Amino acid sequence: MPTNFTVVPVEAQGGERDSAERDAWRQEEEEDNRDRGSGDGISRESSPFINSAEMDRGNMYEGKNMALFEEEMDSNPMVSSLLNKLANYTNVTQGVVEHEADEDSKRKEVKPKCSIIPDTMKKKVNSFAAETRTDSDQDCGMRSIAFCYSTLVYQVPRMGTFIGVYLPCLQNILGVILFLRLTWIVGTAGVLESFIIVFMCCACTMLTAISMSAIATNGVVPAGGSYYMISRSLGPEFGGAVGLCFYLGTTFAGAMYILGTIEILLTYISPSAAIFKAEEVGEETEAMLNNMRVYGTCIIILMAIVVFVGVKYVNKLALVFLACVILSIIAIYAGVIKTAIDPPDFPICLLGNRTLSKRSFDVCAKFTERNNETKTTNLWLLFCNSSLPTAMCDDYFSLNNVTEIQGIPGILSGVLIDNLWSTYSEKGSIVEKKNQPSVSGSEDIKIAGRPYVFTDIMTYFTVLVGIYFPSVTGIMAGSNRSGDLKDAQKSIPTGTILAISTTSFIYLSCIVLFGACIEGVVLRDKFGEAVNGNLVVGTLAWPSPWVIVIGSFFSTCGAGLQSLTGAPRLLQAIARDGIVPFIQVFGHGKANGEPTWALLLTAAICEIGILIASLDSVAPILSMFFLMCYMFVNLACAVQTLLRTPNWRPRFKYYHWTLSFLGMSLCLALMFICSWYYALIAMLIAGCIYKYIEYRGAEKEWGDGIRGLSLNAARYALLRVEDGPPHTKNWRPQLLVLLNLDCEQLVKHPRLLSFTSQLKAGKGLTIVGSVLQGTYLDKCVETQKAEENVKALMAVEKTKGFCQIVVSPSFRDGISHLIQSAGLGGMKHNTVLMAWPQSWKQTENHFSWKNFVDTVRETTAAQQALLVAKNIDLFPTNQERFTEGNIDVWWIVHDGGMLMLLPFLLRQHKVWRKCKMRIFTVAQMDDNSIQMKKDLQMFLYHLRLNAEVEVVEMFENDISAFTYEKTLMMEQRSQMLKQMQLSKNEREREAQLIHDRNTASRSAPAVKASVAAAMPEKVQMTWTKEKFVAEKHKNKDTNVSGFKDIFNMKPNQSNVRRMHTAVKLNGVVLNKSQHAQLVLLNMPGPPKNRKGDENYMEFLEVLTEGLDRVLLVRGSGREVITIYS
């Protein structure tokens, strides 16, 4: 190693020495590169997984032990290097960290900086700093640089289980519902039913946490949390749908927290701050909702600005918000203990058994003594028409006494027995005390104007479930911070389950304690009107109700800010994954990663919840989205467990697929228990997103469980299909489409795929195949290119199927391989579709008539149908529409009814939908054409096919001179082609002989002798000039005599008869179907004698001459259409 460099600490040098220092580093790097350069001069590629700049490549191949694997090591890391990198795996969260780093960058400019260290020197710096001692200034400088480097690379925030998972989950779970609605739920549903509600919801989240723990411990969890786990476990479709539902739930949770904040502010802190006042009795609720909308809009704008400019401070205030929650809960338990010693004084005023609101009067009595005089109170004026004792009063007021009871009788009072059972009521009902004597009076139409405590909504069990469930959400808070954890696989399960256990204990104990300490009418008083407008849970707290009021206010504020901070980042993560195209714009933001556009959308959606203005109406909405998210977390765990994929190896062992299935079922049940119509809407939204991603989203392969489930289902289905051939009722053409490719691996006839999609309409099996001539090792790149081109064209033409490219030394053998082996198990093709070889008469064409005829024979031998599209380039594209015209079927031979089925399938597509179907059949001399037409019409009626029927009569007549001459010309052409082929072979042989002679003449005499000695057959093949000339004249004479025989030959009688049929049938078809949009025709089979193959092509050419679009159909022989149901 060179020793001619000096390392100087950065803090001891100014800016003028930076360039000198970088030059020293650069010189050292160049010398190292020269020292470790390989002798072959070939630069090795760096591994995509291991950063080769951070390790000494000079030592990688040192020694000969791994020389055998040297080629693999250029692209794949050694095991030792891989383990070293995995042991030092780090993951930095996105979003907040970058924002804080950007905010702190200005303050850090005045501090010492680390100079620029080349990548190739980082390992040396670290190792040198570890070995040096403190007795040298140079060592100190190196350690300084090493410290700077290690600080930049390895110093990232890492939190443990308590700070990173437990406390965030605790803070997110304990929130607004606990302070504002839990007492009301206990009073309405009773202790027993409330216990059932809380237990169901907590069991749901606990089962979900177990499933989430299994997923989180199955490998490293990057930043992304719950969305990452769901999407990578269930695939992009489910991941995007559930991710967006989770985003909407988080956004509406922000709206709920903001509404809770305003409710605390306007109801318990400063009622005078209300903008809208109730002008008449009964308008209090509407005025409150309007206040919610105005204040909520202002607060959401303020919070959005705070999140936009000061995310860092929101996160730093999280500890303050958490402290408020913890102190409030401690105050509740302290208050419960105090009630056993000295219950607080909160008297409740009752008229009979009806609870009175103390907002309108101060003395709970009808009369009061003042200066030895009995006077009526303010309460009297509320029920009577004057202050006089003889005034006209409400019947119920007159018949019942006014009494006072303690609102907080204490834990030892035995009030728990009274609060065990539910007290559901209609909207606008009066809150009444059970077992309290009262006398019923005549119904007063002005009961709404009396100072009673009324219920604001109709209550029943399922409504309370929907309102309560948001109080147990927040279990994903730990997984959402997975990038900040030291050991996410350990912290997420431990912290989440511990937080759920803690909060479940708090909720369940609070239910019992509330029922044991607080009077039932106070519990059912949602807004604390009977206790002078105090927060009900605050009346129980010690030392003051204001502890709960202030604590709940700040905790709800903090929860709202955190929702507005987390939701945009979740949307940004989904947008950056690229699985939902229409939200990709929300993946952009500021330079430091802040999701600006996502924040604006979040604020807009949150405003929708604010405009609803009722906390009780918003809570079920977000319950739906969270329950759907939890349901799919359980589904993901159950699917992965049941599939037993090799990669499913979670470290968390306390899970089972039955628990996941139970959690999923419980989530689904809770969705419909909360609100069946909200559940249907949420599922509809998720379903629409799923289908949108499936059809328009980006293709992602994440190794998810749904793909594994699909593979298992496909395997099971294939094994079932393997049992036997399909029934005639289930038969449909399963196509093998044979394509021709040009020299650039592009499809020659793209409209063949258009016709395929029109014929299939996305149903059944389609295999698109092609053959490349050569060997696979030589054609590997061309094969990949051809496959990409074919798949791209299939996507354009909307042809759903599979692509298969075969490389074979012979084009003929490649086609044979495709026909024999394409498909898998029972999912094999039964029909081959190919284009007519237009240039079959050209002998240089690769797809010559020989290959075509052999393909026809092989499909027949394989009992497969064959479709040959002639003039395929004239066939319509998928964008064209025929507004009129006919599809003509010429039914000459019955070979399974495929001619009848194909027009029906074509007319299902928009291109052919308006075309009419006509069927022609040919009657011979002895046939009854009238009866044939009736029978054919009846047959089509039973087949449920609508088509016009026509019987064409073909009478016997003499063979025309035209037919005779055409047959003669065909045979002469065939014979001439054979002679030309022989001549070609002779020319090739002659060229080879001349090449051998010239090669031999250029060689030296010594070389000639050695070659002659080694290869004596070469000497025998040497041609003299005389022998060459004689052979040349001999071949010439043979060719001349052969051509003379061609012009003297007579046509074969069998060929004459076949040509006669082709010419006559072509004339009939042209007469009837020349202007048809498509003509389907029986395709005659090739001759058994292979010597007449070229004549067979001529017959087919004559048969279809003059027609624009022709589909030659050759059935497999089995019935493909039936009259039976």
Side-chain angles (χ1 to χ4, degrees), residues 51 130 166 254 398 475 521 569 623 638 658 710 853 891 897 976 1030 1052:
N51 189 358
Y166 179 75
S398 302
I475 63 173
V521 291
R569 282 169 178 77
S623 295
T658 54
S710 301
V853 178
W891 193 19
M976 187 179 299
N1052 184 279

Side-chain angles (χ1 to χ4, degrees), residues 756-775:
T756 302
S757 62
Q758 295 162 19
L759 183 63
K760 299 290 292 180
K763 302 295 188 297
L765 175 69
T766 302
I767 302 174
V768 180
S770 186
V771 177
L772 297 182
Q773 196 165 355
T775 61

Side-chain angles (χ1 to χ4, degrees), residues 162-307:
F162 186 75
I163 298 295
V165 180
Y166 179 75
L167 289 182
C169 287
L170 206 68
Q171 182 181 358
N172 279 267
I173 295 174
L174 300 173
V176 62
I177 301 296
L178 171 64
F179 302 120
L180 297 183
R181 293 292 183 269
L182 189 59
T183 54
W184 173 71
I185 292 174
V186 173
T188 304
V191 173
L192 293 180
E193 291 188 23
S194 299
F195 199 91
I196 294 173
I197 292 173
V198 174
F199 181 80
M200 278 197 311
C201 296
C202 291
C204 175
T205 55
M206 179 61 77
L207 292 173
T208 304
I210 292 173
S211 300
M212 185 183 70
S213 299
I215 299 174
T217 56
N218 187 47
V220 178
V221 181
S226 56
Y227 163 69
Y228 181 90
M229 289 190 295
I230 296 172
S231 60
R232 269 57 178 181
S233 297
L234 292 180
E237 294 87 0
F238 278 107
V242 179
L244 286 177
C245 287
F246 189 49
Y247 162 75
L248 291 174
T250 307
T251 304
F252 276 103
M256 184 187 71
Y257 293 134
I258 293 173
L259 292 174
T261 303
I262 303 168
E263 183 176 315
I264 295 171
L265 175 66
L266 297 182
T267 306
Y268 307 113
I269 296 179
S270 179
S272 60
I275 299 174
F276 297 93
K277 307 289 185 180
E279 298 179 358
E280 296 181 6
V281 177
E283 295 183 355
E284 293 84 356
T285 302
E286 188 63 31
M288 186 63 180
L289 294 179
N290 290 330
N291 287 320
M292 289 275 197
R293 295 183 179 104
V294 174
Y295 274 96
T297 304
C298 297
I299 289 179
I300 197 172
I301 294 173
L302 181 62
M303 285 187 174
I305 294 173
V306 170
V307 171

